[in-house]
Amino acid sequence: QVQLVESGGGLVQAGGSLRLSCAASGSIFSINVMGWYRQAPGKQRELVADITSGGITNYADSVKGRFTISRDNAKTTVYLQMNSLKPEDTAVYYCRYRGYADSWGQGTQVTVSS
């Protein structure tokens, strides 16, 4: 089992920035993928960005050039730096870990006002 604890959501004006963090603990496999997904009201959950344990990143087209995903040297914490935020970025953001287990965080609300 892998537990994920997210932090860093909040309310920000359009054009502002936020940084999300997700700390993983438990039975972490050395080869894994961690990422961020989001779900807006009435919409399906979608991938925002993910990063492999080898450092390969992948972004949704809608956030390329604005968001940056990274992870710490211990590879147990993943970050999402969100710049130039837009009202359409408003959603609940979920952290996900995929190794032997597939685990989700509880979600953190990001609200971008216009």
Side-chain angles (χ1 to χ4, degrees), residues 5 7-8 18-23 34-36 48-51 57 59 67-82 95:
V5 178
S7 60
L18 283 174
R19 189 191 196 209
L20 305 183
S21 299
C22 173
M34 292 185 70
W36 290 94
V48 177
D50 60 22
I51 182 167
T57 58
Y59 294 92
F67 292 9
T68 302
I69 191 169
S70 61
R71 53 196 306 173
D72 67 343
N73 289 337
K75 300 180 182 179
T76 58
T77 301
V78 64
Y79 306 96
L80 185 68
Q81 178 66 43
M82 305 185 293
C95 180

Side-chain angles (χ1 to χ4, degrees), residues 28-109:
I28 298 171
F29 186 53
S30 59
I31 300 173
N32 60 69
V33 181
M34 292 185 70
W36 290 94
Y37 291 69
R38 67 186 180 188
Q39 188 167 18
K43 295 189 176 181
Q44 290 189 328
R45 191 172 298 188
E46 62 177 3
L47 172 70
V48 177
D50 60 22
I51 182 167
T52 70
S53 47
I56 297 172
T57 58
N58 177 46
Y59 294 92
D61 288 342
S62 59
V63 306
K64 283 180 181 176
R66 300 188 298 122
F67 292 9
T68 302
I69 191 169
S70 61
R71 53 196 306 173
D72 67 343
N73 289 337
K75 300 180 182 179
T76 58
T77 301
V78 64
Y79 306 96
L80 185 68
Q81 178 66 43
M82 305 185 293
N83 299 328
S84 302
L85 282 160
K86 304 175 181 180
E88 51 263 43
D89 294 318
T90 296
V92 178
Y93 283 69
Y94 297 90
C95 180
R96 184 184 186 187
Y97 164 93
R98 285 178 290 152
Y100 275 134
D102 188 347
S103 300
W104 292 86
Q106 79 282 2
T108 186
Q109 177 70 46

